[in-house]
Amino acid sequence: MSFFQNTRKPVGFGGRLMVKGMNSGSHAKLAEWGLSHITIAENARILDAGCGGGANVMRLLAKFPKGHVTGLDYSEVSVAESEKVNQKAIADGRCEIIQGDVSALPFPAETFDLVTAFETVYFWPDPAKIFQGISRVLKTGGTFFICNESNGHDREAVKFSKIIDGMELYDAGQLCNLLQRAGFKDIETDAKGIWLCVRAVK
């Protein structure tokens, strides 16, 4: 398996290197920019779907100090790193990390005030269906927030999409269309260079 396949599902030693790099690398600036678009109650219940190494779970816990954050990822390596990074919040009852698939979210309806997806929708096999599942677990009036390092057309991302199996790029228009089909409303987009974020309301 190519090392870059670990961007999709980290496994083994290469996967551990990948998630540690994601936690400490350039993704931090993207995440901080993305999080500046989110304004919800401090005691919100939040799901970070495709939480990777858990750095964004940690940022969400800091931004919403009275809230509860659940991180979900289908990679055993990612889950282990997320638990390590957020060990204190887990012990304090403010956080849980679950190994699971975004295609079959293991949560009751109307559970979360906010669902975030940082740098992960590229790898979701059927985003239209998954967006419907996210709508199910969001409370009415809840927010779904997508933050991508690629606007869907930049040269670097296009190059990687050709060598990483299952990677699909989306631009703002395509994501808005998928969200509308899933029943979301009040859809807003923002861009900074090649970075892209999309916010939608159930």
Side-chain angles (χ1 to χ4, degrees):
M1 182 183 75
S2 163
F3 173 72
F4 293 108
Q5 290 299 125
N6 285 292
T7 58
R8 183 182 181 194
K9 186 177 183 181
V11 295
F13 178 71
R16 290 194 293 274
L17 288 178
M18 181 66 75
V19 295
K20 287 180 183 296
M22 288 178 176
N23 277 355
S24 61
S26 62
H27 289 204
K29 291 182 179 179
L30 170 70
E32 289 166 7
W33 172 74
L35 286 169
S36 70
H37 295 78
I38 300 174
T39 53
I40 56 173
E42 284 190 351
N43 63 346
R45 295 192 64 85
I46 302 165
L47 170 65
D48 187 28
C51 64
N56 288 324
V57 170
M58 182 172 60
R59 293 185 183 100
L60 287 162
L61 286 162
K63 185 175 177 67
F64 303 101
K66 296 180 182 179
H68 183 280
V69 182
T70 299
L72 178 135
D73 204 285
Y74 71 164
S75 162
E76 184 177 344
V77 168
S78 293
V79 167
E81 184 68 15
S82 291
E83 289 177 335
K84 181 180 177 181
V85 167
N86 295 287
Q87 186 174 6
K88 185 179 186 305
I90 292 170
D92 291 343
R94 292 193 56 222
C95 176
E96 63 179 335
I97 307 295
I98 296 173
Q99 185 171 1
D101 194 330
V102 292
S103 298
L105 293 171
F107 309 107
E110 302 268 335
T111 297
F112 300 103
D113 301 286
L114 170 68
V115 176
T116 60
F118 288 90
E119 285 287 271
T120 185
V121 296
Y122 316 121
F123 308 115
W124 291 1
D126 186 349
K129 179 182 177 182
I130 293 170
F131 288 3
Q132 290 175 352
I134 287 170
S135 177
R136 181 186 67 81
V137 301
L138 269 173
K139 297 176 184 177
T140 300
T143 299
F144 179 29
F145 181 76
I146 299 168
C147 189
N148 288 346
E149 194 171 27
S150 169
N151 60 16
H153 301 291
D154 60 287
R155 186 175 301 176
E156 190 74 4
V158 169
K159 179 182 75 174
F160 278 108
S161 71
K162 293 178 179 177
I163 62 176
I164 299 173
D165 293 340
M167 183 176 182
E168 186 74 30
L169 299 177
Y170 302 96
D171 62 25
Q174 290 169 319
L175 288 171
C176 289
N177 181 260
L178 288 165
L179 288 163
Q180 288 171 346
R181 286 166 54 192
F184 285 94
K185 60 183 181 179
D186 299 334
I187 302 169
E188 299 177 345
T189 67
D190 192 19
K192 182 179 181 181
I194 63 170
W195 293 352
L196 171 68
C197 69
V198 185
R199 184 174 55 192
V201 176
K202 176 179 175 179

